[in-house]
Amino acid sequence: MLEHLALLSLAEGGWGLALLAGALMTLALALACLPIGVPLGLALALAERSRYRLLRSFATLFGTVFRGLPELLTLLIIYYGCQIAMQKLLSAAGHPQAVSINAFAAAMVAFGLVFAAFSAQVWLAAFKTIGKGQYEGAAALGLSRRITFMRVLLPQLTRVALPGLSNNWLSLLKDTSLVSTISLVDLMRQTNLAVSATKEPLFFYGVACLVYLLFSALSGRALAFLERYYSRHLRSVR
Amino acid sequence: MILQDIAYFFVDPDLLQRYGWRMLAGLWVTAKLVAIAFTLGMLLATVLALGRLSSNPLLRHASGFYIYCLRGSPLLAQLFLLYYGLGSFREFWQDVGLWWLFRDAWYCTLLAFTLNTAAYQAEILRGSFIAIGEGQREAARALGLRPWVTFVKIIMPQSLMVAIGPLGNELILMIKASAIASLVTLYDLMGVTKLGFSRSFDFQIYLWAAVLYLLIVETLRRVLRRLDARLSRHLHDH
């Protein structure tokens, strides 16, 4: 047991530092998907409710595709697809050469799109909880469409959507383990490396599972705090 | 001529002849994997859900812990833990007589998927058992029905109606997650696709896989919606 723990040491010969770096990479990747995923998800939900048929069909198509494809396939299609498209473009422009795109960027885009497709459903459900009176009230006060959305609708939407978005976040966190297949050195990849060097698969995969569990538990705490914060007006005064 | 070029870009007849049947065979592997794992998972999930609702604190905590762990870490890590981790104790499994299970990627994947989906399904079933009103149980007791009969004839049929929507979603998630099986050398749809791409370097093979996955998931989604509407038709006024 003790020699197993030594494998995790942060010093020379231990895998602690490598695993820590991998874990940070996992976290960084998951966080980097949010700036794409959250606004795009909201935009897709708005498009789905728009009065223009073209926008509506686009949003439906986007949702069907990215919710229906396996995440692994989405990732590979974006990673290899972008590479091949760039190569074709370059050779068409007269500069034939091999292109390799950044695995982090590809993963960020792929998971961002998937997150957007799933979170659009959450936003859509949240829109249904907002009564007609809110729109009428805002119109009666003479608020502009932008102000109505930002100051009246969005805060209420966020509160209702938060539990659903937390679920999306937790699956995103777990899905990032797939990037180990496109050789981005995240927690999973680092674990694979450690296993092939030390021949201790049970121990290292167990540790990886525990780290993912820890991340899930910590983000569960953080999100519960956020949910409390956004519904603080609903609490009774004690 | 240009039209034919475009057609070749998406479906090259040579490539189709070489990999078409193999992909369908891969699809069959995916279907078998998901069907078996989902069914076995449902049996385990029923036990877990009942354990989670039992009055025995030990049972309650044990099944709660199991569900928490399996939902909190990625399926990929769990699969590697089983296949590489537990599979490394060859002598032990040979002594116990279970080496056939841990030697074989197919059985390992089946086991990992079953254990994983059981945790998710258990939460769905638990929710649906709770959704049945206490009055149903009281009435059954007043009629002198045994607990087993009450569960099978009264609680189960009603709760399945509540659970069928979420269970369908879980089935779809399972089909998507099954692409991970390709990472432990199984030739499911994703595995055949990766093999085909690594040999031909033709990107269209990924697009075929995407279309196949989308077709299955979308068909399933529509069938489930029909089924859901039919099962709960007595609840809607006409």
Side-chain angles (χ1 to χ4, degrees):
Chain A
M1 193 61 218
L2 217 56
E3 66 253 43
H4 273 134
L5 282 183
L7 283 175
L8 286 183
S9 85
L10 296 174
E12 194 78 23
W15 283 89
L17 217 53
L19 290 182
L20 202 63
L24 284 182
M25 179 58 97
T26 291
L27 211 53
L29 177 61
L31 285 173
C33 295
L34 292 183
I36 302 178
V38 176
L40 188 59
L42 188 55
L44 282 171
L46 286 173
E48 189 106 18
R49 293 168 53 84
S50 132
R51 59 201 140 116
Y52 302 108
R53 189 141 161 232
L54 197 66
L55 274 180
R56 278 205 307 272
S57 343
F58 173 76
T60 313
L61 183 70
F62 187 98
T64 312
V65 169
F66 286 103
R67 283 189 304 144
L69 284 183
E71 285 78 6
L72 183 58
L73 189 58
T74 311
L75 183 65
L76 294 181
I77 283 183
I78 289 191
Y79 184 58
Y80 292 121
C82 286
Q83 263 175 24
I84 289 170
M86 291 276 254
Q87 251 158 24
K88 288 241 162 92
L89 269 180
L90 278 181
S91 61
H95 300 284
Q97 56 177 342
V99 189
S100 66
I101 62 168
N102 189 314
F104 188 90
M108 194 171 92
V109 171
F111 293 129
L113 294 179
V114 173
F115 188 90
F118 277 98
S119 60
Q121 297 297 312
V122 174
W123 290 114
L124 269 180
F127 264 113
K128 286 189 190 141
T129 64
I130 290 182
K132 213 168 152 198
Q134 298 288 333
Y135 297 92
E136 288 168 356
L141 287 171
L143 300 181
S144 69
R145 278 174 63 105
R146 210 177 68 86
I147 297 281
T148 307
F149 181 73
M150 297 302 281
R151 289 293 168 88
V152 180
L153 299 180
L154 198 54
Q156 302 185 58
L157 283 176
T158 312
R159 181 176 68 80
V160 182
L162 255 179
L165 291 179
S166 331
N167 280 341
N168 292 344
W169 162 256
L170 290 177
S171 21
L172 170 67
L173 201 58
K174 288 179 280 170
D175 286 341
T176 55
S177 63
L178 295 173
V179 293
S180 55
T181 58
I182 57 169
S183 66
L184 182 66
V185 188
D186 73 326
L187 175 59
M188 203 62 215
R189 178 82 177 169
Q190 204 63 264
T191 310
N192 289 340
L193 295 176
V195 166
S196 52
T198 61
K199 306 279 175 255
E200 290 282 356
L202 186 66
F203 175 69
F204 277 109
Y205 287 126
V207 168
C209 280
L210 281 182
V211 174
Y212 279 110
L213 263 182
L214 182 75
F215 280 166
S216 300
L218 286 182
S219 38
R221 280 284 173 83
L223 288 163
F225 173 78
L226 265 185
E227 275 170 41
R228 265 207 312 282
Y229 178 77
Y230 272 101
S231 54
R232 61 193 184 281
H233 60 289
L234 293 176
R235 245 176 326 181
S236 56
V237 181
R238 258 173 293 191
Chain B
M1 203 57 215
I2 286 183
L3 214 65
Q4 204 174 13
D5 278 356
I6 293 177
Y8 266 53
F9 183 74
F10 286 108
V11 183
D12 179 350
D14 284 348
L15 203 67
L16 189 66
Q17 202 175 14
R18 244 185 308 159
Y19 291 106
W21 283 112
R22 282 212 213 172
M23 284 186 83
L24 287 185
L27 191 62
W28 177 237
V29 172
T30 296
K32 265 196 302 188
L33 191 62
V34 172
I36 299 175
F38 194 80
T39 316
L40 292 179
M42 197 183 288
L43 295 179
L44 183 55
T46 314
V47 176
L48 283 169
L50 289 177
R52 194 99 155 74
L53 294 170
S54 114
S55 51
N56 182 340
L58 189 69
L59 271 179
R60 217 165 46 224
H61 286 125
S63 42
F65 181 71
Y66 174 90
I67 292 170
Y68 185 77
C69 285
L70 273 99
R71 279 169 29 120
S73 57
L75 178 58
L76 181 61
Q78 293 162 13
L79 180 60
F80 281 1
L81 185 67
L82 264 173
Y83 184 56
Y84 295 115
L86 291 179
S88 62
F89 297 105
R90 185 176 175 168
E91 284 83 23
F92 174 75
W93 295 121
Q94 275 172 338
D95 288 348
V96 193
L98 280 175
W99 178 233
W100 56 271
L101 200 161
F102 288 98
R103 184 188 53 190
D104 194 83
W106 165 258
Y107 287 118
C108 263
T109 312
L110 211 52
L111 181 64
F113 282 15
T114 304
L115 295 179
N116 183 269
T117 191
Y120 284 93
Q121 287 186 45
E123 281 300 276
I124 296 171
L125 291 181
R126 183 176 74 99
S128 71
F129 290 155
I130 293 175
I132 307 304
E134 195 53 38
Q136 298 282 333
R137 256 171 272 253
E138 285 168 5
R141 203 154 6 153
L143 287 172
L145 295 181
R146 275 171 293 138
W148 176 246
V149 176
T150 311
F151 180 67
V152 173
K153 294 262 167 166
I154 293 172
I155 308 291
M156 269 290 242
Q158 297 187 69
S159 60
L160 272 185
M161 204 174 66
V162 182
I164 191 118
L167 280 180
N169 283 341
E170 169 60 16
L171 180 61
I172 288 174
L173 287 180
M174 201 63 205
I175 292 174
K176 291 169 43 179
S178 72
I180 288 175
S182 66
L183 300 177
V184 288
T185 69
L186 279 189
Y187 286 110
D188 69 328
L189 179 52
M190 191 72 203
V192 176
T193 307
K194 283 168 84 173
L195 180 78
F197 181 69
S198 67
R199 287 200 184 150
S200 65
F201 288 107
D202 201 333
F203 187 66
Q204 57 177 277
I205 211 158
Y206 273 122
L207 299 181
W208 299 351
V211 169
L212 278 177
Y213 273 114
L214 279 183
L215 218 61
I216 304 169
V217 167
E218 200 50 30
T219 315
L220 202 62
R221 217 162 56 88
R222 280 167 198 233
V223 169
L224 281 165
R225 207 164 47 194
R226 280 277 182 79
L227 193 70
D228 199 22
R230 181 163 173 78
L231 279 178
S232 53
R233 68 192 184 281
H234 59 284
L235 296 178
H236 301 300
D237 301 324
H238 289 288

